[in-house]
Amino acid sequence: MDYSALYQRLSRAYGALCRMLPGRYAPPPLQVYVELTYRCNLSCLFCQFREGSAESSPSLEWSSRQFEEPLKAVPPGALISFSGGEPTLKPGFLDLLTVTSKRHRTHIFTNGTRLDRSTAKRLVDLGAPGILHNGLVLVGISFEGLKKTHNQMVDRSWAFDRTLSGIRNLLEERKRRGKRFPLIEIKAVLTHENLGEIEALFRLAKDLGADLFNPMAMNMMPHLGRIEGVSPSAWVTPPPVEPLPRTELEATLESIFLQAGPIQIRTTPQGLGPKDFADYYNGAFPLQDYTCSFPWHGMTLTAYGDIYICPYLKVGNLREDNWRDARNNRRARAFRKALSSRGVFPGCLGCCSLVRR
């Protein structure tokens, strides 16, 4: 099964149905991102939350227990994606994941450095029976290059070995238990530092037995609400990404696509091909050919309890607001109306929620 294509089809179909609702109202979310903490044990050079992580105030963050009630109100079967920062640093994270996985499909983003055998066992315990069943369906693990490059990019001399060990622990435990899920995805942001190693990293992921390999476009969008005093606008184009050599980038990705199987390729944003990546990294990305339905089918909850329907629009906070009402308040509906008329905003360039029209 092509999991990436399935997700794209579901997102497009659900988004199209949502846009037909009168008054720019949104139905219950199909996907919820939960940024559990902005603490991290790495310091990735490209991380959009790097500054926020350094200034993070764990005492102001919601506890894992506090997130249980809002997530229980999400309709059963939605996809709940836990990220950070590094979510495994959050006290009570595995208990929250366990509770949530009983009612929803779940997904985690991690750097993999804390996936010891005990943690791997708990994650595999939560593995869903199938892609459309409740339970943990995907573990995305950031792996940015071979040993020297990865350690330099995340600013930790020990990171590569610990991440590699974490990946192996998960795959070995899953094999020992005879389970298919959670799927294991290796994620790498394309940069000058790692472009020459991306194909070797893909082969490493394939040799390890990972299920998906995810080349990711560098996201230059500023994320509000996480860094004090930062309030960017959806009407402003994000800063330009550092260019990558078009010929080398296209050739590298074309080679990886040709070598896929049994490992699958999933790109971020979804559905990009080698030429699309080359266009993006060289200032020629046709943003007008893309659209987004996340404000209709999705929601993000930050570590501080803020409620977003887009990185550019906070619609409430869980301390004062019911997320169901907040997603359809006046500001949310006005934002959807503007997005419907435009298709995308200039600030959408590089967003992981973009899909081709």
Side-chain angles (χ1 to χ4, degrees):
M1 179 183 293
D2 186 334
Y3 299 106
S4 179
L6 175 62
Y7 179 82
Q8 290 177 63
R9 287 195 294 269
L10 287 173
S11 295
R12 285 196 187 97
Y14 196 74
L17 289 172
C18 292
R19 287 169 181 264
M20 295 171 64
L21 293 175
R24 310 303 178 188
Y25 284 91
L30 180 69
Q31 182 169 19
V32 178
Y33 287 95
V34 184
E35 297 169 355
L36 276 179
T37 181
Y38 300 120
R39 294 177 58 218
C40 190
N41 56 344
L42 304 184
S43 185
C44 300
L45 300 177
F46 52 81
C47 181
Q48 63 239 29
F49 295 147
R50 189 181 188 193
E51 184 180 346
S53 175
E55 299 176 359
S56 174
S57 238
S59 62
L60 299 178
E61 294 181 352
W62 270 47
S63 69
S64 294
R65 180 63 63 86
Q66 285 176 300
F67 275 112
E68 286 186 16
E69 287 305 313
L71 293 179
K72 283 180 182 177
V74 176
L79 179 62
I80 312 295
S81 298
F82 292 103
S83 66
E86 173 50 43
T88 62
L89 288 172
K90 185 75 169 184
F93 164 62
L94 288 175
D95 292 334
L96 173 61
L97 182 64
T98 299
V99 169
T100 308
S101 297
K102 292 176 180 177
R103 184 176 172 83
H104 304 287
R105 293 172 299 132
T106 54
H107 165 208
I108 66 173
F109 298 92
T110 175
N111 60 43
T113 59
R114 293 169 52 84
L115 301 181
D116 56 23
R117 291 187 182 278
S118 174
T119 303
K121 183 179 184 302
R122 288 197 65 177
L123 295 180
V124 174
D125 281 343
L126 298 175
I131 192 66
L132 298 179
H133 293 81
N134 291 341
L136 183 61
V137 295
L138 181 65
V139 177
I141 301 175
S142 300
F143 215 20
E144 306 303 337
L146 302 182
K147 186 170 183 175
K148 182 179 179 181
T149 299
H150 178 78
N151 288 344
Q152 288 176 342
M153 289 181 67
V154 305
D155 199 26
R156 297 292 185 270
S157 62
W158 42 261
F160 180 91
D161 289 337
R162 291 193 193 176
T163 296
L164 182 60
S165 175
I167 294 169
R168 285 175 169 155
N169 287 339
L170 270 177
L171 288 167
E172 288 170 4
E173 180 65 22
R174 195 180 67 176
K175 181 178 180 180
R176 187 183 70 81
R177 303 278 291 281
K179 299 187 74 170
R180 179 74 180 105
F181 294 90
L183 300 175
I184 310 303
E185 177 182 57
I186 306 303
K187 308 171 73 68
V189 177
L190 300 175
T191 69
H192 261 297
E193 291 82 2
N194 67 9
L195 179 57
E197 297 181 0
I198 286 296
E199 189 167 356
L201 184 65
F202 165 78
R203 289 196 296 268
L204 174 59
K206 188 173 183 177
D207 291 344
L208 287 168
D211 303 287
L212 300 111
F213 185 74
N214 180 197
M216 304 176 69
M218 176 78 76
N219 184 345
M220 301 300 291
M221 293 172 61
H223 286 250
L224 34 155
R226 289 73 154 178
I227 303 173
E228 189 67 29
V230 177
S231 299
S233 166
W235 298 95
V236 177
T237 301
V241 67
E242 184 179 9
L244 293 179
R246 174 179 286 275
T247 301
E248 181 184 1
L249 177 55
E250 281 198 57
T252 298
L253 293 176
E254 284 171 357
S255 179
I256 288 173
F257 275 73
L258 287 173
Q259 296 176 63
I263 190 172
Q264 296 183 17
I265 307 298
R266 184 177 84 91
T267 63
T268 300
Q270 295 275 344
L272 264 61
K275 183 181 182 301
D276 302 314
F277 273 101
D279 286 344
Y280 176 73
Y281 276 93
N282 289 277
F285 190 75
L287 184 60
Q288 69 279 1
D289 293 344
Y290 290 78
T291 187
C292 176
S293 62
F294 188 82
W296 283 267
H297 78 250
M299 173 175 71
T300 295
L301 304 177
T302 77
Y304 306 130
D306 292 328
I307 307 162
Y308 283 81
I309 61 167
C310 166
Y312 292 107
L313 187 67
K314 174 183 171 181
V315 294
N317 183 279
L318 292 172
R319 297 183 192 278
E320 300 92 24
D321 302 297
N322 181 304
W323 64 256
R324 286 168 292 195
D325 296 332
R327 285 185 75 243
N328 282 305
N329 64 22
R330 183 177 298 176
R331 292 185 67 218
R333 288 183 282 117
F335 185 85
R336 292 190 195 101
K337 181 178 181 180
L339 182 58
S340 288
S341 65
R342 291 187 57 91
V344 286
F345 297 116
C348 297
L349 183 65
C351 181
C352 61
S353 295
L354 288 175
V355 292
R356 197 179 295 273
R357 290 177 184 269

